[in-house]
Amino acid sequence: MRAIGLIGGLSWESTAIYYQIINQRVRERLGGSHSADSLIWSVDYTTVEDLIFAGRWDEVSALLADAGRKLEDLGAGVLLVCSNTFSKVSDDVARATGVPVLHIADAVGAEVRSRGMRKVGLLGTRFTMEQRFYRDRLVSHGFEVIVPPREQRDLVHDVIFGELVRGVIREASRDAYAEIIDGLAAAGAEGVILGCTEIELLITEKDTTVPLLPTARLHAEAAATFALSG
């Protein structure tokens, strides 16, 4: 089994999902009391949050690449940047290290493809919904990606940074997200990507009429599969 290196704290609220799902999948596969060989380098979220809002992505890249090198030095055989927004620098981490880096959008894209979906909605931070780094990576897997109108994008973004990364879950926000998801379904989305790893703390398929694609879970499952592949 390869040791899995998680670059987390992006935020730690969703990094906990990664740790849980990876260990659950390893135990399901190997049985008994097995768990994953894993390492977590958890950054101070306020530091990276301030950098991205200041547009200082070069510094984010350097910080996360350094985390990746440290995890590699500690024995990680595969790395994950545990975030959709911060996957903007995943390729930089890959160039700075000598082990595979599993991109979260590739894990999601593979799942969308396996379900035969041709058009999906995307929720996430404004960075994820509006910049090309994430949407283009998804589209390369062969399906169309749509996002909500501007006002709804702002609401989704504000809930993430004002509530979810701080561990705050509000019923009103869940209802607002469900309404936005319904709008994406009405626009032809066959499923909706929860393109911020914290969103799956807020809403599940019990709250919607269309399938949801929880990115932290899918990324973690891909990591477990890769680690166990030898």
Side-chain angles (χ1 to χ4, degrees):
M1 183 194 309
R2 292 181 177 92
I4 301 170
L6 303 175
I7 302 174
L10 304 167
S11 68
W12 72 259
E13 298 285 345
S14 61
T15 304
I17 298 175
Y18 277 84
Y19 186 72
Q20 179 182 43
I21 296 300
I22 287 169
N23 282 292
Q24 285 176 345
R25 294 298 170 266
V26 169
R27 185 170 59 192
E28 288 167 5
R29 173 80 174 271
L30 300 182
S33 56
H34 280 286
S35 57
D37 291 333
S38 60
L39 301 154
I40 301 174
W41 192 277
S42 189
V43 304
D44 179 359
Y45 190 70
T46 293
T47 300
V48 290
E49 184 181 55
D50 289 348
L51 289 174
I52 63 175
F53 278 101
R56 293 158 61 185
W57 282 98
D58 287 349
E59 293 176 59
V60 173
S61 173
L63 191 154
L64 298 190
D66 182 60
R69 285 190 293 267
K70 288 172 178 172
L71 289 167
E72 181 183 12
D73 289 345
L74 289 168
V78 59
L79 298 173
L80 284 76
V81 176
C82 299
S83 167
N84 293 277
T85 296
F86 291 92
S87 72
K88 182 169 182 174
V89 301
S90 282
D91 289 342
D92 296 339
V93 175
R95 283 188 287 270
T97 59
V99 296
V101 177
L102 301 186
H103 198 292
I104 191 168
D106 292 336
V108 177
E111 178 68 13
V112 173
R113 225 175 37 245
S114 74
R115 297 193 191 193
M117 295 176 177
R118 295 161 295 177
K119 185 176 185 178
V120 295
L122 171 65
L123 300 182
T125 66
R126 275 198 293 265
F127 306 102
T128 301
M129 290 187 289
E130 296 177 0
Q131 295 183 17
R132 298 188 60 169
F133 71 93
Y134 191 82
R135 291 174 64 179
D136 284 358
R137 188 102 178 198
L138 289 174
V139 168
S140 72
H141 287 270
F143 50 85
E144 182 182 353
V145 177
I146 60 172
V147 296
R150 176 61 182 270
E151 184 176 341
Q152 292 182 342
R153 295 199 302 271
D154 289 345
L155 185 151
V156 170
H157 177 93
D158 291 343
V159 167
I160 291 167
F161 285 106
E163 300 172 21
L164 301 183
V165 301
R166 302 178 183 191
V168 176
I169 305 297
R170 293 192 171 126
E171 192 67 33
S173 297
R174 180 180 291 113
D175 292 342
Y177 269 52
E179 183 177 346
I180 292 168
I181 289 168
D182 285 345
L184 290 169
E190 300 168 84
V192 174
I193 296 169
L194 304 184
C196 172
T197 53
E198 286 79 23
I199 295 177
E200 54 209 83
L201 297 167
L202 176 68
I203 195 163
T204 70
E205 288 187 348
K206 294 184 299 183
D207 308 303
T208 68
T209 58
V210 295
L212 301 180
L213 296 129
T215 53
R217 178 175 295 270
L218 293 172
H219 201 196
E221 289 175 344
T225 298
F226 187 88
L228 290 167
S229 70

